[in-house]
Amino acid sequence: MVLPVDFEPVPVTVLSGFLGSGKTTLLKNILEQAHLGKNADKKKYKVAVLVNDMADVNIDANLVRDTRQLVQSEAKMVELHNGCICCTLREDLIKELADLAAQRKFDAIVVESTGVSDPMEVAETFAVDVVPPGYQQHQVEEVAGEGGAEGEAPAADEGMAPKNWEMDSIVKALRGKSSLNELARLDTCVTMVDCSNFRSNLSTAAELQERFRDEGGAEEGDNRNVAPLLMSQIEFADVIGLSKCDLVSEEEVKSVLGSLKALNPDAKVLRVNKGDMPMASIVDTKMFSMEKAAMAPGWLKGMRDEEVVPE
């Protein structure tokens, strides 16, 4: 299917943050606001939701299913299974988001990633070129087949998709576009931070598999450390939601707010009580800049299987 000439990319909001930081509560609040028109323009929004399967018990997925009664026909939920969005599901993410955007039924899409996802790696998925710029629709099938029996695309430059991707299905899903961002535009990266655990998470030397293996999405063998990932989630965010402020003193809240602004001076930082973040602050904000993201240390290195050394 070829997209019409007047097609406008659907804005995508990516929610990041450790387990317990309030991502799912915020997601439910977004859907309630969208369905009831509780936003600045009082308009009801049709929002599609894409969530990652959370370990074996699917805690977040079960909670999101409950919101379908709230949003009825205004939302659609799609699940990704068996892996972290930023690590093993890039291809599925492209196909699912492209299919949702191509339906032209939704005003926005919200992606809830696992607690151990790095938002920069999720953002890279939107930027990678699957079809080299300048190719026309009739050349798309040729590009998909140039890699031989496995349908690998030629590696034109560092921005091209990895050779081990299953290119046929991805190219079809993109419907003539060269990257996901042309169908589903990365609009806002939101990171939720648990105020009551901020200091301990920032200072710990623990690995993710120690802290979050059972329910937090970390898999055995994930030797990344908690503190560097927390910093990455904060530093890459356009919007930071500080939750569980009621569990600490006002002095501590102000101290954490100061730390967040020091780590990311450009981000909008909001105190969040039970997910009550205004929808206008996180959906279709146009705050994300792909040009700025491309200047981040390590950009696209993980896509190319290069080691990224935290600063």
Side-chain angles (χ1 to χ4, degrees):
M1 181 184 79
V2 180
L3 296 171
V5 293
D6 63 344
F7 178 85
E8 291 290 334
V10 179
V12 178
T13 295
V14 174
L15 304 182
S16 302
F18 291 160
L19 181 72
S21 63
K23 296 192 305 295
T24 301
T25 304
L26 173 61
L27 178 61
K28 183 175 180 178
N29 189 276
I30 291 172
L31 295 177
E32 289 174 343
Q33 292 184 66
H35 175 60
L36 299 174
K38 292 183 177 180
N39 44 68
D41 55 12
K42 307 300 181 184
K43 172 188 173 183
K44 289 186 178 182
Y45 281 80
K46 292 184 178 179
V47 178
V49 174
L50 193 152
V51 298
N52 205 82
D53 187 288
M54 295 296 287
D56 294 330
V57 292
N58 296 330
I59 294 176
D60 287 338
N62 288 332
L63 289 174
V64 173
R65 285 194 191 98
D66 290 340
T67 68
R68 296 193 69 176
Q69 296 302 314
L70 286 173
V71 298
Q72 299 175 9
S73 61
E74 270 71 39
K76 176 179 180 179
M77 196 198 77
V78 180
E79 287 187 59
L80 294 178
H81 294 277
N82 302 322
C84 166
I85 284 176
C86 70
C87 302
T88 61
L89 292 177
R90 294 181 191 267
E91 297 165 77
D92 287 343
L93 182 63
I94 290 176
K95 289 182 283 188
E96 293 289 359
L97 285 175
D99 286 343
L100 287 171
Q103 293 178 34
R104 306 185 79 184
K105 296 179 180 178
F106 303 105
D107 300 303
I109 302 172
V110 178
V111 177
E112 182 187 14
S113 59
T114 64
V116 297
S117 289
D118 187 331
M120 183 175 75
E121 295 188 10
V122 178
E124 290 173 347
T125 308
F126 288 79
V128 66
D129 284 324
V130 173
V131 181
Y135 272 69
Q136 303 299 319
Q137 176 63 27
H138 70 276
Q139 296 173 292
V140 167
E141 289 76 11
E142 297 176 13
V143 174
E146 284 181 13
E150 297 182 358
E152 298 173 355
D157 55 45
E158 64 179 22
M160 287 294 295
K163 289 185 176 182
N164 61 352
W165 279 13
E166 297 179 2
M167 296 304 301
D168 289 337
S169 58
I170 295 176
V171 168
K172 290 177 181 178
L174 291 181
R175 297 163 171 82
K177 301 295 184 181
S178 64
S179 68
L180 175 61
N181 211 51
E182 296 179 45
L183 281 86
R185 169 180 57 83
L186 183 53
D187 177 79
T188 316
C189 288
V190 180
T191 293
M192 293 297 296
V193 175
D194 177 353
C195 187
S196 64
N197 285 312
F198 174 75
R199 297 295 178 194
S200 62
N201 285 333
L202 194 63
S203 60
T204 184
E207 294 182 350
L208 293 172
Q209 60 182 339
E210 299 174 39
R211 185 71 64 89
F212 299 113
R213 182 177 174 183
D214 291 337
E215 297 179 354
E219 299 181 354
E220 184 176 0
D222 190 341
N223 57 5
R224 293 177 297 163
N225 294 98
V226 172
L229 178 58
L230 174 60
M231 293 182 65
S232 295
Q233 291 181 346
I234 293 170
E235 291 172 345
F236 201 78
D238 301 304
V239 179
I240 301 171
L242 186 61
S243 65
K244 300 186 179 179
C245 296
D246 57 319
L247 300 182
V248 301
S249 67
E250 183 62 24
E251 181 180 1
E252 176 64 9
V253 173
K254 291 180 179 179
S255 176
V256 173
L257 286 170
S259 297
L260 294 176
K261 291 301 293 183
L263 287 169
N264 190 341
D266 297 327
K268 177 186 292 186
V269 182
L270 301 172
R271 294 173 64 157
V272 182
N273 179 33
K274 297 181 180 179
D276 63 348
M277 192 180 293
M279 184 173 166
S281 297
I282 47 181
V283 173
D284 199 14
T285 68
K286 299 178 176 62
M287 294 180 67
F288 180 80
S289 168
M290 193 65 76
E291 291 75 17
K292 179 181 176 181
M295 298 173 63
W299 178 254
L300 289 179
K301 286 188 176 181
M303 186 76 71
R304 301 191 300 272
D305 293 325
E306 297 180 20
E307 182 179 2
V308 180
V309 180
E311 293 190 329

mmCIF file of all heavy atoms in Angstrom, residues 63-95:
data_model
loop_
_atom_site.group_PDB
_atom_site.id
_atom_site.type_symbol
_atom_site.label_atom_id
_atom_site.label_comp_id
_atom_site.label_asym_id
_atom_site.label_seq_id
_atom_site.Cartn_x
_atom_site.Cartn_y
_atom_site.Cartn_z
ATOM 1 N N LEU A 63 -2.361 -4.158 33.336
ATOM 2 C CA LEU A 63 -2.940 -2.892 33.759
ATOM 3 C C LEU A 63 -3.419 -2.087 32.562
ATOM 4 O O LEU A 63 -4.462 -1.446 32.603
ATOM 5 C CB LEU A 63 -1.915 -2.082 34.559
ATOM 6 C CG LEU A 63 -1.581 -2.618 35.955
ATOM 7 C CD1 LEU A 63 -0.449 -1.823 36.574
ATOM 8 C CD2 LEU A 63 -2.803 -2.583 36.857
ATOM 9 N N VAL A 64 -2.640 -2.109 31.475
ATOM 10 C CA VAL A 64 -3.045 -1.370 30.281
ATOM 11 C C VAL A 64 -4.303 -1.973 29.683
ATOM 12 O O VAL A 64 -5.176 -1.267 29.203
ATOM 13 C CB VAL A 64 -1.905 -1.353 29.246
ATOM 14 C CG1 VAL A 64 -2.377 -0.727 27.944
ATOM 15 C CG2 VAL A 64 -0.726 -0.567 29.785
ATOM 16 N N ARG A 65 -4.435 -3.301 29.721
ATOM 17 C CA ARG A 65 -5.661 -3.919 29.199
ATOM 18 C C ARG A 65 -6.891 -3.394 29.926
ATOM 19 O O ARG A 65 -7.948 -3.219 29.344
ATOM 20 C CB ARG A 65 -5.574 -5.446 29.361
ATOM 21 C CG ARG A 65 -4.658 -6.125 28.363
ATOM 22 C CD ARG A 65 -4.902 -7.620 28.377
ATOM 23 N NE ARG A 65 -3.867 -8.299 27.616
ATOM 24 C CZ ARG A 65 -2.800 -8.859 28.158
ATOM 25 N NH1 ARG A 65 -2.632 -8.814 29.470
ATOM 26 N NH2 ARG A 65 -1.905 -9.458 27.417
ATOM 27 N N ASP A 66 -6.768 -3.137 31.213
ATOM 28 C CA ASP A 66 -7.901 -2.652 31.984
ATOM 29 C C ASP A 66 -8.397 -1.305 31.474
ATOM 30 O O ASP A 66 -9.564 -0.964 31.634
ATOM 31 C CB ASP A 66 -7.512 -2.507 33.464
ATOM 32 C CG ASP A 66 -7.300 -3.874 34.111
ATOM 33 O OD1 ASP A 66 -7.808 -4.869 33.559
ATOM 34 O OD2 ASP A 66 -6.624 -3.926 35.148
ATOM 35 N N THR A 67 -7.523 -0.522 30.855
ATOM 36 C CA THR A 67 -7.929 0.807 30.400
ATOM 37 C C THR A 67 -8.754 0.743 29.119
ATOM 38 O O THR A 67 -9.320 1.745 28.716
ATOM 39 C CB THR A 67 -6.706 1.701 30.146
ATOM 40 O OG1 THR A 67 -5.979 1.219 29.015
ATOM 41 C CG2 THR A 67 -5.800 1.760 31.351
ATOM 42 N N ARG A 68 -8.844 -0.409 28.488
ATOM 43 C CA ARG A 68 -9.620 -0.491 27.250
ATOM 44 C C ARG A 68 -11.091 -0.173 27.510
ATOM 45 O O ARG A 68 -11.775 0.349 26.635
ATOM 46 C CB ARG A 68 -9.477 -1.872 26.621
ATOM 47 C CG ARG A 68 -8.052 -2.184 26.180
ATOM 48 C CD ARG A 68 -7.979 -3.392 25.293
ATOM 49 N NE ARG A 68 -8.585 -3.133 23.998
ATOM 50 C CZ ARG A 68 -8.576 -4.007 23.012
ATOM 51 N NH1 ARG A 68 -8.002 -5.178 23.172
ATOM 52 N NH2 ARG A 68 -9.150 -3.726 21.855
ATOM 53 N N GLN A 69 -11.585 -0.483 28.685
ATOM 54 C CA GLN A 69 -12.963 -0.131 29.010
ATOM 55 C C GLN A 69 -13.130 1.370 29.162
ATOM 56 O O GLN A 69 -14.179 1.921 28.901
ATOM 57 C CB GLN A 69 -13.373 -0.834 30.310
ATOM 58 C CG GLN A 69 -13.395 -2.364 30.199
ATOM 59 C CD GLN A 69 -14.342 -2.835 29.099
ATOM 60 O OE1 GLN A 69 -15.474 -2.365 28.994
ATOM 61 N NE2 GLN A 69 -13.884 -3.763 28.270
ATOM 62 N N LEU A 70 -12.055 2.045 29.555
ATOM 63 C CA LEU A 70 -12.112 3.495 29.700
ATOM 64 C C LEU A 70 -12.121 4.181 28.338
ATOM 65 O O LEU A 70 -12.855 5.125 28.100
ATOM 66 C CB LEU A 70 -10.900 4.000 30.498
ATOM 67 C CG LEU A 70 -10.898 3.743 32.002
ATOM 68 C CD1 LEU A 70 -9.549 4.160 32.568
ATOM 69 C CD2 LEU A 70 -12.008 4.547 32.667
ATOM 70 N N VAL A 71 -11.263 3.683 27.439
ATOM 71 C CA VAL A 71 -11.065 4.410 26.201
ATOM 72 C C VAL A 71 -11.926 3.881 25.058
ATOM 73 O O VAL A 71 -12.063 4.543 24.041
ATOM 74 C CB VAL A 71 -9.576 4.368 25.796
ATOM 75 C CG1 VAL A 71 -8.733 5.035 26.854
ATOM 76 C CG2 VAL A 71 -9.110 2.950 25.585
ATOM 77 N N GLN A 72 -12.475 2.699 25.198
ATOM 78 C CA GLN A 72 -13.346 2.115 24.190
ATOM 79 C C GLN A 72 -12.710 2.198 22.816
ATOM 80 O O GLN A 72 -11.590 1.766 22.616
ATOM 81 C CB GLN A 72 -14.711 2.809 24.241
ATOM 82 C CG GLN A 72 -15.409 2.642 25.587
ATOM 83 C CD GLN A 72 -16.686 3.432 25.675
ATOM 84 O OE1 GLN A 72 -17.171 3.980 24.695
ATOM 85 N NE2 GLN A 72 -17.247 3.509 26.854
ATOM 86 N N SER A 73 -13.390 2.831 21.859
ATOM 87 C CA SER A 73 -12.874 2.843 20.492
ATOM 88 C C SER A 73 -11.807 3.902 20.272
ATOM 89 O O SER A 73 -11.245 3.991 19.192
ATOM 90 C CB SER A 73 -14.027 3.104 19.509
ATOM 91 O OG SER A 73 -14.615 4.366 19.759
ATOM 92 N N GLU A 74 -11.522 4.709 21.286
ATOM 93 C CA GLU A 74 -10.540 5.780 21.098
ATOM 94 C C GLU A 74 -9.109 5.278 21.174
ATOM 95 O O GLU A 74 -8.182 6.027 20.956
ATOM 96 C CB GLU A 74 -10.738 6.890 22.133
ATOM 97 C CG GLU A 74 -11.685 7.986 21.682
ATOM 98 C CD GLU A 74 -13.120 7.521 21.645
ATOM 99 O OE1 GLU A 74 -13.507 6.766 22.551
ATOM 100 O OE2 GLU A 74 -13.845 7.894 20.715
ATOM 101 N N ALA A 75 -8.886 4.037 21.559
ATOM 102 C CA ALA A 75 -7.519 3.541 21.687
ATOM 103 C C ALA A 75 -7.404 2.119 21.177
ATOM 104 O O ALA A 75 -8.360 1.368 21.136
ATOM 105 C CB ALA A 75 -7.059 3.611 23.143
ATOM 106 N N LYS A 76 -6.204 1.787 20.793
ATOM 107 C CA LYS A 76 -5.896 0.425 20.386
ATOM 108 C C LYS A 76 -4.584 0.050 21.056
ATOM 109 O O LYS A 76 -3.665 0.848 21.106
ATOM 110 C CB LYS A 76 -5.735 0.334 18.865
ATOM 111 C CG LYS A 76 -5.307 -1.052 18.379
ATOM 112 C CD LYS A 76 -5.200 -1.080 16.869
ATOM 113 C CE LYS A 76 -4.781 -2.469 16.389
ATOM 114 N NZ LYS A 76 -4.693 -2.537 14.922
ATOM 115 N N MET A 77 -4.518 -1.164 21.592
ATOM 116 C CA MET A 77 -3.306 -1.590 22.258
ATOM 117 C C MET A 77 -2.646 -2.722 21.492
ATOM 118 O O MET A 77 -3.306 -3.651 21.040
ATOM 119 C CB MET A 77 -3.575 -2.047 23.690
ATOM 120 C CG MET A 77 -2.302 -2.122 24.513
ATOM 121 S SD MET A 77 -2.463 -3.116 26.007
ATOM 122 C CE MET A 77 -2.376 -4.760 25.311
ATOM 123 N N VAL A 78 -1.349 -2.624 21.320
ATOM 124 C CA VAL A 78 -0.558 -3.644 20.661
ATOM 125 C C VAL A 78 0.564 -4.033 21.609
ATOM 126 O O VAL A 78 1.164 -3.184 22.248
ATOM 127 C CB VAL A 78 0.049 -3.128 19.332
ATOM 128 C CG1 VAL A 78 0.875 -4.212 18.661
ATOM 129 C CG2 VAL A 78 -1.053 -2.643 18.407
ATOM 130 N N GLU A 79 0.828 -5.335 21.711
ATOM 131 C CA GLU A 79 1.907 -5.795 22.591
ATOM 132 C C GLU A 79 3.102 -6.280 21.786
ATOM 133 O O GLU A 79 2.958 -6.899 20.739
ATOM 134 C CB GLU A 79 1.425 -6.959 23.472
ATOM 135 C CG GLU A 79 0.479 -6.564 24.571
ATOM 136 C CD GLU A 79 0.191 -7.745 25.485
ATOM 137 O OE1 GLU A 79 1.151 -8.291 26.065
ATOM 138 O OE2 GLU A 79 -0.978 -8.121 25.599
ATOM 139 N N LEU A 80 4.286 -5.978 22.275
ATOM 140 C CA LEU A 80 5.507 -6.580 21.779
ATOM 141 C C LEU A 80 5.941 -7.627 22.800
ATOM 142 O O LEU A 80 5.816 -7.414 24.001
ATOM 143 C CB LEU A 80 6.611 -5.539 21.615
ATOM 144 C CG LEU A 80 6.387 -4.468 20.537
ATOM 145 C CD1 LEU A 80 7.553 -3.501 20.537
ATOM 146 C CD2 LEU A 80 6.228 -5.096 19.176
ATOM 147 N N HIS A 81 6.458 -8.754 22.338
ATOM 148 C CA HIS A 81 6.793 -9.844 23.248
ATOM 149 C C HIS A 81 8.276 -10.213 23.161
ATOM 150 O O HIS A 81 8.946 -9.958 22.162
ATOM 151 C CB HIS A 81 5.965 -11.095 22.920
ATOM 152 C CG HIS A 81 4.502 -10.923 23.177
ATOM 153 N ND1 HIS A 81 3.937 -11.069 24.412
ATOM 154 C CD2 HIS A 81 3.487 -10.580 22.336
ATOM 155 C CE1 HIS A 81 2.632 -10.849 24.333
ATOM 156 N NE2 HIS A 81 2.338 -10.547 23.096
ATOM 157 N N ASN A 82 8.744 -10.806 24.222
ATOM 158 C CA ASN A 82 10.041 -11.493 24.248
ATOM 159 C C ASN A 82 11.235 -10.576 24.031
ATOM 160 O O ASN A 82 12.077 -10.815 23.181
ATOM 161 C CB ASN A 82 10.081 -12.613 23.200
ATOM 162 C CG ASN A 82 8.979 -13.613 23.416
ATOM 163 O OD1 ASN A 82 8.645 -13.947 24.547
ATOM 164 N ND2 ASN A 82 8.372 -14.069 22.337
ATOM 165 N N GLY A 83 11.327 -9.545 24.820
ATOM 166 C CA GLY A 83 12.539 -8.742 24.768
ATOM 167 C C GLY A 83 12.311 -7.291 25.080
ATOM 168 O O GLY A 83 11.195 -6.808 25.126
ATOM 169 N N CYS A 84 13.407 -6.601 25.274
ATOM 170 C CA CYS A 84 13.371 -5.167 25.552
ATOM 171 C C CYS A 84 13.317 -4.408 24.239
ATOM 172 O O CYS A 84 14.020 -4.743 23.293
ATOM 173 C CB CYS A 84 14.626 -4.794 26.346
ATOM 174 S SG CYS A 84 14.972 -3.057 26.462
ATOM 175 N N ILE A 85 12.490 -3.382 24.168
ATOM 176 C CA ILE A 85 12.313 -2.642 22.919
ATOM 177 C C ILE A 85 13.642 -2.140 22.366
ATOM 178 O O ILE A 85 13.912 -2.216 21.180
ATOM 179 C CB ILE A 85 11.344 -1.459 23.136
ATOM 180 C CG1 ILE A 85 9.909 -1.968 23.221
ATOM 181 C CG2 ILE A 85 11.450 -0.453 21.992
ATOM 182 C CD1 ILE A 85 8.895 -0.901 23.532
ATOM 183 N N CYS A 86 14.507 -1.627 23.255
ATOM 184 C CA CYS A 86 15.732 -0.999 22.761
ATOM 185 C C CYS A 86 16.771 -2.014 22.313
ATOM 186 O O CYS A 86 17.718 -1.665 21.625
ATOM 187 C CB CYS A 86 16.333 -0.086 23.832
ATOM 188 S SG CYS A 86 17.021 -0.942 25.253
ATOM 189 N N CYS A 87 16.629 -3.264 22.721
ATOM 190 C CA CYS A 87 17.680 -4.247 22.447
ATOM 191 C C CYS A 87 17.321 -5.232 21.341
ATOM 192 O O CYS A 87 18.081 -5.420 20.399
ATOM 193 C CB CYS A 87 18.024 -5.017 23.719
ATOM 194 S SG CYS A 87 18.572 -3.970 25.077
ATOM 195 N N THR A 88 16.187 -5.901 21.453
ATOM 196 C CA THR A 88 15.894 -7.022 20.566
ATOM 197 C C THR A 88 14.658 -6.831 19.707
ATOM 198 O O THR A 88 14.366 -7.683 18.869
ATOM 199 C CB THR A 88 15.723 -8.309 21.388
ATOM 200 O OG1 THR A 88 14.630 -8.147 22.297
ATOM 201 C CG2 THR A 88 16.983 -8.627 22.177
ATOM 202 N N LEU A 89 13.927 -5.758 19.882
ATOM 203 C CA LEU A 89 12.651 -5.628 19.180
ATOM 204 C C LEU A 89 12.602 -4.441 18.219
ATOM 205 O O LEU A 89 11.534 -3.934 17.919
ATOM 206 C CB LEU A 89 11.510 -5.508 20.198
ATOM 207 C CG LEU A 89 11.243 -6.767 21.027
ATOM 208 C CD1 LEU A 89 10.140 -6.499 22.035
ATOM 209 C CD2 LEU A 89 10.859 -7.924 20.137
ATOM 210 N N ARG A 90 13.739 -3.992 17.758
ATOM 211 C CA ARG A 90 13.737 -2.834 16.866
ATOM 212 C C ARG A 90 12.892 -3.101 15.618
ATOM 213 O O ARG A 90 12.133 -2.241 15.174
ATOM 214 C CB ARG A 90 15.165 -2.491 16.448
ATOM 215 C CG ARG A 90 16.078 -2.008 17.567
ATOM 216 C CD ARG A 90 17.447 -1.703 16.973
ATOM 217 N NE ARG A 90 18.473 -1.487 17.973
ATOM 218 C CZ ARG A 90 18.806 -0.293 18.457
ATOM 219 N NH1 ARG A 90 18.147 0.765 18.064
ATOM 220 N NH2 ARG A 90 19.778 -0.168 19.343
ATOM 221 N N GLU A 91 13.049 -4.286 15.027
ATOM 222 C CA GLU A 91 12.310 -4.600 13.806
ATOM 223 C C GLU A 91 10.803 -4.646 14.065
ATOM 224 O O GLU A 91 10.013 -4.106 13.289
ATOM 225 C CB GLU A 91 12.799 -5.929 13.238
ATOM 226 C CG GLU A 91 14.256 -5.922 12.815
ATOM 227 C CD GLU A 91 14.812 -7.309 12.612
ATOM 228 O OE1 GLU A 91 14.505 -7.909 11.569
ATOM 229 O OE2 GLU A 91 15.539 -7.794 13.489
ATOM 230 N N ASP A 92 10.412 -5.304 15.163
ATOM 231 C CA ASP A 92 8.995 -5.357 15.512
ATOM 232 C C ASP A 92 8.448 -3.969 15.794
ATOM 233 O O ASP A 92 7.309 -3.649 15.430
ATOM 234 C CB ASP A 92 8.782 -6.247 16.739
ATOM 235 C CG ASP A 92 8.941 -7.722 16.411
ATOM 236 O OD1 ASP A 92 8.897 -8.062 15.217
ATOM 237 O OD2 ASP A 92 9.112 -8.516 17.346
ATOM 238 N N LEU A 93 9.248 -3.142 16.451
ATOM 239 C CA LEU A 93 8.812 -1.775 16.757
ATOM 240 C C LEU A 93 8.533 -1.004 15.480
ATOM 241 O O LEU A 93 7.516 -0.306 15.368
ATOM 242 C CB LEU A 93 9.889 -1.071 17.587
ATOM 243 C CG LEU A 93 9.566 0.355 18.045
ATOM 244 C CD1 LEU A 93 8.366 0.371 18.979
ATOM 245 C CD2 LEU A 93 10.772 0.985 18.738
ATOM 246 N N ILE A 94 9.417 -1.125 14.508
ATOM 247 C CA ILE A 94 9.216 -0.434 13.231
ATOM 248 C C ILE A 94 7.930 -0.905 12.564
ATOM 249 O O ILE A 94 7.099 -0.086 12.130
ATOM 250 C CB ILE A 94 10.418 -0.668 12.291
ATOM 251 C CG1 ILE A 94 11.655 0.076 12.815
ATOM 252 C CG2 ILE A 94 10.088 -0.208 10.864
ATOM 253 C CD1 ILE A 94 12.906 -0.184 12.005
ATOM 254 N N LYS A 95 7.743 -2.211 12.499
ATOM 255 C CA LYS A 95 6.579 -2.750 11.797
ATOM 256 C C LYS A 95 5.268 -2.388 12.498
ATOM 257 O O LYS A 95 4.290 -1.991 11.845
ATOM 258 C CB LYS A 95 6.716 -4.259 11.643
ATOM 259 C CG LYS A 95 7.789 -4.656 10.629
ATOM 260 C CD LYS A 95 7.886 -6.156 10.437
ATOM 261 C CE LYS A 95 8.607 -6.835 11.551
ATOM 262 N NZ LYS A 95 8.875 -8.272 11.290
#
